[in-house]
Amino acid sequence: MSTFEIKTHQIGRTYSNPHFFILNKGLNSGKPLDLPCPNCFVIMLKNEEDKNTLYHLSMMLQIGGFYAYYLKGSVIPFISINDCKNTLLKGFESSKDLEIIKHIKAVSIISKKEKELQNVIKKMSLLKIAYIKNAFKNAN
């Protein structure tokens, strides 16, 4: 795996390299995102495989509470770019361990399945709404 670059995301800016975003404000700081938001960092990598590995590693670090240790601020907690980068680097170094790689792959598969199921739930919700509207349309 190669190294990564982390910067504060600027609204409206686009990126050509493989990248993902990390939320930097609120109690979900450290959460990886596919789409940018006003309060996030951008992580840029050289290839898609490293992006997927680091994305899921970041998810594991966030869920495990490793970013929470570095939260600052009393009203709206946030994580600094240096703390985020250092946490990612520590996780990145440990990700070379074969056991961690297995866990990252498992989390990747679980996340993919979760997205598929969320998509099915959305479609079922739309179908339910269509049936309800159709029932009342026929009642009139």
Side-chain angles (χ1 to χ4, degrees), residues 98-112:
L98 292 177
E99 195 65 29
I100 298 292
I101 291 172
K102 288 179 188 177
H103 288 294
I104 291 172
K105 287 181 181 179
V107 168
S108 174
I109 291 167
I110 292 167
S111 294
K112 184 177 179 183

Side-chain angles (χ1 to χ4, degrees), residues 46-57:
K46 297 202 183 330
N47 60 54
E48 200 67 30
E49 181 183 338
D50 288 350
K51 176 201 153 206
N52 290 332
T53 300
L54 202 57
Y55 180 93
H56 291 97
L57 177 67

Side-chain angles (χ1 to χ4, degrees), residues 9-104:
H9 171 66
Q10 296 173 350
I11 296 174
R13 185 159 186 192
T14 58
Y15 306 94
S16 57
N17 290 355
H19 63 279
F20 67 95
F21 304 92
I22 292 183
L23 189 63
N24 63 14
K25 286 196 178 163
L27 295 176
N28 284 326
S29 291
K31 181 179 179 178
L33 306 167
D34 293 321
L35 300 172
C37 69
N39 300 312
C40 67
F41 301 128
V42 61
I43 310 296
M44 296 174 285
L45 298 109
K46 297 202 183 330
N47 60 54
E48 200 67 30
E49 181 183 338
D50 288 350
K51 176 201 153 206
N52 290 332
T53 300
L54 202 57
Y55 180 93
H56 291 97
L57 177 67
S58 181
M59 180 188 305
M60 292 168 66
L61 292 169
Q62 194 270 330
I63 291 170
F66 293 94
Y67 291 112
Y69 176 78
Y70 298 103
L71 289 178
K72 299 167 180 67
S74 58
V75 177
I76 300 175
F78 67 94
I79 186 168
S80 71
I81 195 166
N82 289 331
D83 289 338
C84 184
K85 182 176 184 174
N86 291 336
T87 304
L88 274 175
L89 280 172
K90 287 177 191 173
F92 198 65
E93 289 301 315
S94 69
S95 72
K96 294 178 180 162
D97 179 23
L98 292 177
E99 195 65 29
I100 298 292
I101 291 172
K102 288 179 188 177
H103 288 294
I104 291 172

